[in-house]
Amino acid sequence: MTKRILRFAPSPTGYLHVGNIRTALFNYLQAKKVGGEFILRLDDTDKERSTQNFIDQIKRDLEWLGINWDKIEQQSLRIDRYREVLTELKDKNLVYECFETALDLELKRKKQQNLGLPPIYDRSALKLKLEERNILRDKTESHWRFLLSGETVTWEDKIAGEIKVRTSVVSDPILVKGNGQFLYTLASVIDDADFGVTDVVRGIDHLTNTAVQIEIFKNLSSHAPIFGHHSLIVDSSGENFSKRSGSLSIKSLKEVGIEPRAIVSKLVSLGTGDGVDVDKNIDELAQNFELSKFNNAPVRFDKEALEVLNKDIYEVNFISESQKFISVKFLKKEITQEDFEPLKKLSNHIVYLKFAGSSLKKNLFDNLENFNNLVRLDLKNNPFDDEDLSKLLSLENLEVINLIGTSITEKSIETFNEFKNLKRVYLWKTKISQSDIESFNQQQNKVELVGAVIN
Ligand code: GLU
């Protein structure tokens, strides 16, 4: 079976916002789920609007959210390749040279509007004779358009179902601008073909582009990828997000203390019937990811809901101080010394501490050392070592340790029996050697190892 290759292709002309990240996640999670490849492609052929600053911020934002790419590509470095393909299209008479200025086109559109006609380019440049073109070329910059077939393009969309677009109702797209800039339409097709992209998920606003691009793929004798077009998200006033609106940029959400986990889990549930599950990390979300769960009706994204969700993650969420048993969840990405302060007040309670997907710094095990009312510790996915474990030996009430998604050594297993009251250790998805488990099982143990898979 061919390897699935997906990509996220932002233009570095602004900061990424939650809408862009939703697209990134659709592609990233699908790639992860099928063990495919995920490419970050920077669509930076617009030299005036693309900046290094935006490129750097895009990379920072994605990394912060846990969206990691296997390969990075940059369109501005592939212009020679685009020129080569343009020549191929010229040789096949599939592109034609046009000389209208922006103002000419605007006037044409107005005229069509007044006559009640659809604003489609009238192809007048196709009628120009060779001499006329030579004269015009001396006077003005020329741009190139792709000659659409006018036929109906049909595809089975992974989200929107069967789609049919008649290209006779679409203007022949400009592939190269007067200043020589290659536009997204052609550059994207060449890249998707050259990089072997198998699946493209993007916003429903790209439907017409997709029809046009499928025609170009065919003419270049390349296979078009499988497409899925997701709905767009709107803000609380019903407006579309734009890079320029800024308020829900990832950068600004990070600055006001929103946790990456809140953003990712919210975006993954939006538009499905599923509730938000902040307990799952990005790999677990990938395992459950189904494109077919999403529908293509616009969905509202409101910042307040994100803030509420964030509290669940950010704050040490005591169920109630008056309760005897308290469960404390830490889902923050980075845990600091300060986060442990409130725990000091809990000296009369029975406590269950849960660290799911946070990153525990080494010294934080020191904070647990004297936390004698701890009964259950959940380290899910957080690395620890033998030294960390031995720090917990003084905890007389510790009964359960959950080590799902971590890895343990033979020494750690032996330490389990030294705990005063430890009864159970959960080991699902824990990396552990078979011989270690076997030798543990042969001993007289006070502790039960649950969920260890012996291959
Ligand atoms: N640069 C394009 C955009 O941001 C990419 C669209 C696509 O995924 O093909 O809209």
Side-chain angles (χ1 to χ4, degrees):
M1 233 176 84
T2 47
K3 182 165 187 168
R4 300 267 290 278
I5 301 178
L6 293 98
R7 48 50 164 203
F8 171 53
S11 320
T13 53
Y15 295 127
L16 295 178
H17 53 68
V18 285
N20 306 125
I21 293 303
R22 190 160 176 252
T23 307
L25 281 169
F26 278 122
N27 290 285
Y28 175 77
L29 297 176
Q30 229 196 335
K32 283 280 124 189
K33 183 172 178 178
V34 298
E37 185 176 291
F38 179 70
I39 302 175
L40 170 61
R41 186 183 88 199
L42 299 161
D43 287 2
D44 60 344
T45 56
D46 184 342
K47 281 198 214 124
E48 269 162 40
R49 292 177 53 226
S50 305
T51 69
Q52 189 58 42
N53 176 34
F54 289 135
I55 292 180
D56 294 342
Q57 190 62 43
I58 285 172
K59 292 200 228 165
R60 270 199 294 271
D61 288 347
L62 292 174
E63 273 167 355
W64 180 69
L65 290 163
I67 303 175
N68 301 307
W69 50 94
D70 302 301
K71 233 164 80 182
I72 184 160
E73 298 285 351
Q74 201 162 340
Q75 291 195 325
S76 60
L77 304 176
R78 290 178 40 81
I79 305 298
D80 287 346
R81 173 70 184 132
Y82 304 153
R83 285 206 185 101
E84 204 176 282
V85 177
L86 182 69
T87 308
E88 186 183 332
L89 293 173
K90 282 181 189 170
D91 292 346
K92 290 181 176 169
N93 286 327
L94 285 165
V95 286
Y96 59 99
E97 197 176 12
C98 306
F99 299 89
E100 291 90 350
T101 62
L103 184 64
D104 294 337
L105 293 173
E106 183 55 34
L107 292 174
K108 277 186 198 226
R109 260 194 301 270
K110 286 243 165 77
K111 210 162 143 193
Q112 284 165 322
Q113 231 168 22
N114 291 340
L115 295 169
L117 297 169
I120 300 169
Y121 177 60
D122 61 7
R123 291 186 165 170
S124 47
L126 261 186
K127 293 168 205 125
L128 293 171
K129 298 201 179 68
L130 182 65
E131 311 85 73
E132 289 173 308
R133 271 186 282 156
N134 287 340
I135 296 168
L136 281 166
R137 203 177 293 123
D138 284 341
K139 288 199 292 197
T140 171
E141 287 176 331
S142 64
H143 54 274
W144 290 82
R145 284 187 191 261
F146 179 74
L147 189 62
L148 288 167
S149 70
E151 287 165 12
T152 300
V153 179
T154 309
W155 74 92
E156 193 53 44
D157 194 279
K158 284 282 159 210
I159 300 174
E162 190 188 54
I163 301 283
K164 286 179 189 287
V165 177
R166 209 150 41 92
T167 58
S168 57
V169 295
V170 180
S171 287
D172 287 338
I174 299 176
L175 301 187
V176 192
K177 286 193 7 181
N179 63 4
Q181 182 196 331
F182 279 85
L183 289 176
Y184 152 80
T185 310
L186 178 61
S188 181
V189 170
I190 301 172
D191 289 348
D192 285 340
D194 286 357
F195 305 152
V197 170
T198 56
D199 304 65
V200 171
V201 187
R202 57 191 180 193
I204 198 99
D205 52 335
H206 279 289
L207 270 191
T208 309
N209 282 340
T210 298
V212 167
Q213 290 181 330
I214 289 176
E215 282 210 0
I216 303 178
F217 274 110
K218 275 200 192 129
N219 283 299
L220 294 175
S221 312
S222 296
H223 271 300
I226 297 167
F227 288 98
H229 291 84
H230 61 74
S231 62
L232 298 185
I233 51 180
V234 291
D235 64 19
S236 37
S237 50
E239 298 279 319
N240 279 344
F241 285 98
S242 97
K243 279 190 183 154
R244 271 146 276 192
S245 68
S247 74
L248 281 169
S249 73
I250 301 305
K251 183 172 179 281
S252 69
L253 293 175
K254 183 178 178 186
E255 280 161 8
V256 297
I258 301 286
E259 285 291 318
R261 193 175 267 258
I263 301 172
V264 169
S265 51
K266 178 79 189 165
L267 289 175
V268 169
S269 77
L270 210 62
T272 70
D274 298 346
V276 186
D277 186 354
V278 285
D279 280 0
K280 287 209 170 69
N281 67 24
I282 203 157
D283 292 331
E284 292 163 328
L285 290 173
Q287 283 157 28
N288 297 320
F289 187 76
E290 291 294 342
L291 217 45
S292 56
K293 279 191 193 167
F294 294 84
N295 57 49
N296 54 0
V299 276
R300 193 176 290 260
F301 185 94
D302 77 275
K303 200 171 167 188
E304 287 71 49
L306 195 63
E307 279 157 4
V308 171
L309 205 56
N310 201 49
K311 277 205 167 148
D312 239 16
I313 296 169
Y314 186 75
E315 289 180 358
V316 176
N317 63 332
F318 303 146
I319 295 171
S320 138
E321 287 222 29
S322 60
Q323 271 175 288
K324 187 120 183 69
F325 180 85
I326 288 185
S327 157
V328 184
K329 261 201 295 190
F330 285 95
L331 293 168
K332 287 177 68 175
K333 192 157 177 159
E334 297 268 322
I335 294 182
T336 63
Q337 200 78 23
E338 272 170 36
D339 295 315
F340 279 85
E341 287 307 309
L343 298 184
K344 292 186 182 151
K345 286 191 272 162
L346 299 177
S347 51
N348 298 320
H349 299 80
I350 298 168
V351 181
Y352 166 18
L353 284 185
K354 192 169 168 189
F355 297 94
S358 46
S359 55
L360 286 177
K361 293 271 158 41
K362 275 214 84 51
N363 65 346
L364 293 180
F365 277 86
D366 299 336
N367 287 284
L368 299 177
E369 215 166 14
N370 299 314
F371 201 42
N372 207 24
N373 44 352
L374 190 64
V375 287
R376 180 177 162 141
L377 177 66
D378 185 342
L379 285 176
K380 202 171 167 197
N381 298 324
N382 274 293
F384 72 100
D385 60 23
D386 301 329
E387 200 189 324
D388 296 329
L389 196 64
S390 60
K391 283 193 183 137
L392 307 181
L393 277 171
S394 60
L395 305 181
E396 298 199 344
N397 293 309
L398 189 61
E399 291 182 9
V400 179
I401 303 181
N402 178 354
L403 296 178
I404 294 177
T406 62
S407 65
I408 54 173
T409 63
E410 187 184 354
K411 179 139 187 283
S412 303
I413 303 182
E414 281 163 12
T415 312
F416 293 147
N417 277 327
E418 293 172 35
F419 279 86
K420 185 126 190 258
N421 271 310
L422 190 64
K423 294 190 174 57
R424 230 164 302 126
V425 179
Y426 291 107
L427 294 175
W428 286 286
K429 295 189 197 157
T430 303
K431 288 197 197 99
I432 181 169
S433 87
Q434 182 172 345
S435 57
D436 290 349
I437 292 265
E438 278 169 3
S439 61
F440 182 86
N441 284 342
Q442 279 155 16
Q443 298 161 27
Q444 278 283 40
N445 301 310
K446 291 190 299 181
V447 177
E448 182 194 5
L449 301 186
V450 184
V453 177
I454 300 178
N455 306 312

